[in-house]
Structures are given as structure tokens and as C-alpha cells.
Amino acid sequence: MEEITVIFHGTNGWYTSKTGYTTCITIDTPDCFIILDAGEGFTKIPDVYPSIQKPALLFFSHFHLDHISGLHTLARCQFEGGLSIYGPPGAHMLSKFIGYPYTVPLSELTYPVTIMELVEGRCNLQIPVQTAFLVHNQPVFGYRFELSKTITFCTDTGPCEGILTLGADADLLITECAYLPGQENPGWPHLNPEVAVRLATEARAKRLALVHFAADLYASLDQRSAIKNIGPQFSDVIIGMDDMVIKM
């Protein structure tokens, strides 16, 4: 079976700190290179993958700064097969962010880049992708990638039907975990570990990985690791740490 390599380059939410860089995850498949969000973790990609020959596809959940700030290092990347950027409505504004006076513009990169706004539902791209709106204070997309293994990515969201739809029977469900155990704030929708586990169970996901830990709340890695101690249902949960590698 074709091997898939998932790397958590950045697992913090809001800002980079001693616990990690802000959110960026890559999924390396035999046919394409998938990038999930481009927080500061994105800056690590050229060191791990000096040259990427296959097509690269970058999917944005939304456009808060902690998910796009790594774009200022696009000029360091070698996407020899080109880079296609996808996101929810509003994605085209990235063409203004990726340019002067902020950073090197798209037209001066050494590889071709395209930007496309996606609609909710199944998308006809190079790979089978399904999107769904999540619940946040800005439009946010979750993604389901149907590869040789099914991988779902849902961040910056409160509990919602979109997570269940995208995460149904997924081999790996990656969700955020911004809040501490027992913490909730409906006015600023995010997940705590208990809710993330409940949603993964309802979706019948085979594995759950937690990322996007709020940097101000999870001020130490020990706080993340302590999630394993909440109860037996957390024993198999993957606690995302920067530079963690999962082979599928």
C-alpha cells in the first residue's frame, strides 16, 4: 500500500512560543504534497523538504494571521511541481498579502502559483477533497482528503455537524484543541479535549490527533501530555507536538 507521511510542523494556536510554532501540517503522498495551513510551522518545510518535485497543494482553513504568517517564506521553498493554493471564500485576498510591502510577490517566485476559492461540498481537484463550513467568528473550512487513507482536518471551530460529516470513518481525524479540559466559550468557538474525543467517537474516526493548542493556555508541553490522564478514552489520542511524524 502507498505510504503517507504526516508531519506536524506547527501545533500552536494564536502565536509561536516555546511550546511550538503556529499551525502547519504536511501530508506527503506518492502523487502530491498537501499542506494544511501556513502558520510559522510552514517556515520549516524547506529544511525538511529542500526540493518538492510533485504538485504541492496548500489548503487554508481560514485567514487569521496565525494560519497565514508563514507565507512570507514562500521564496525559500522549491515547489518544482508548482503550488496550488485553496481556501474558503476570500482566498483571493492572499494575492495582496503575498506581495510588497509585506513579502516577495507571487510573480517573483521561481515556481508557478495559483489561488482558488472553493465551495462547500466535494471539489474536483487533483485529489478527492470534501469541504464543510465549521463554526468560528470567521468563515472556516474543514477538509476531508480521500487518499489511500482518509485524513480529515478541522481547526478553529466549536462543536458542529461539519466535523462529524468530514470525520466520518476517517483513518485520521486532526482537530484543534485550543481550550483546556473543561473550558468552553461559545462566544469564541474552539474545542477542549473532551469535546474533541466525543466528536471523534461520534464520527467513528479510527485515530484522533489534537493540534492548535492555544499558546497562552497550554504554556508548557506537560499540560498537553496531561490530557492522556483525563481518562481511558484518551489513552490512544495523539497529542500533537512540533516535528512529530506519523506514517500511514
Side-chain angles (χ1 to χ4, degrees):
M1 180 176 291
E2 299 175 340
E3 185 174 72
I4 295 174
T5 301
V6 180
I7 302 181
F8 297 144
H9 301 280
T11 55
N12 265 22
W14 195 4
Y15 57 88
T16 289
S17 73
K18 63 182 180 181
T19 58
Y21 285 39
T22 48
T23 305
C24 181
I25 300 166
T26 58
I27 305 171
D28 189 10
T29 82
D31 299 319
C32 65
F33 186 78
I34 300 169
I35 308 167
L36 307 177
D37 281 340
E40 288 298 309
F42 184 88
T43 66
K44 300 178 182 180
I45 291 177
D47 297 320
V48 180
Y49 295 96
S51 178
I52 299 171
Q53 304 296 318
K54 63 190 76 171
L57 293 74
L58 170 54
F59 293 88
F60 280 101
S61 59
H62 65 309
F63 309 112
H64 280 165
L65 284 176
D66 57 329
H67 295 261
I68 69 172
S69 59
L71 290 174
H72 71 95
T73 59
L74 277 173
R76 287 193 65 224
C77 299
Q78 295 298 322
F79 294 120
E80 305 293 347
L83 175 66
S84 300
I85 298 176
Y86 302 101
H92 276 98
M93 68 181 177
L94 291 171
S95 62
K96 297 180 179 180
F97 180 75
I98 310 170
Y100 299 131
Y102 307 112
T103 187
V104 176
L106 294 175
S107 61
E108 295 184 17
L109 296 176
T110 60
Y111 49 87
V113 180
T114 60
I115 300 175
M116 178 183 294
E117 295 180 1
L118 300 179
V119 297
E120 187 174 27
R122 295 194 176 274
C123 304
N124 186 23
L125 305 179
Q126 298 175 19
I127 55 174
V129 180
Q130 183 178 354
T131 68
F133 280 109
L134 305 179
V135 176
H136 200 43
N137 72 330
Q138 297 291 314
V140 174
F141 264 172
Y143 294 94
R144 177 184 175 94
F145 303 95
E146 296 175 351
L147 310 164
S148 58
K149 298 287 187 179
T150 299
I151 300 175
T152 297
F153 176 61
C154 297
T155 189
D156 283 63
T157 179
C160 63
E161 190 65 30
I163 299 175
L164 300 178
T165 299
L166 298 178
D169 300 304
D171 293 289
L172 177 63
L173 170 59
I174 305 170
T175 75
E176 69 138 87
C177 185
Y179 286 145
L180 296 169
Q183 186 178 24
E184 295 181 359
N185 181 1
W188 188 249
H190 283 289
L191 302 180
N192 63 37
E194 300 98 318
V195 172
V197 166
R198 174 175 62 79
L199 292 169
T201 301
E202 290 181 17
R204 303 179 306 279
K206 297 177 178 64
R207 301 176 77 186
L208 171 65
L210 302 179
V211 297
H212 194 268
F213 297 90
D216 60 329
L217 299 177
Y218 287 90
S220 73
L221 293 179
D222 287 343
Q223 286 177 287
R224 295 190 194 184
S225 300
I227 290 173
K228 292 274 194 179
N229 301 326
I230 297 176
Q233 69 271 38
F234 291 86
S235 60
D236 294 328
V237 173
I238 299 168
I239 308 300
M241 302 286 184
D242 275 28
D243 308 316
M244 176 182 286
V245 179
I246 298 175
K247 299 285 188 179
M248 302 181 66

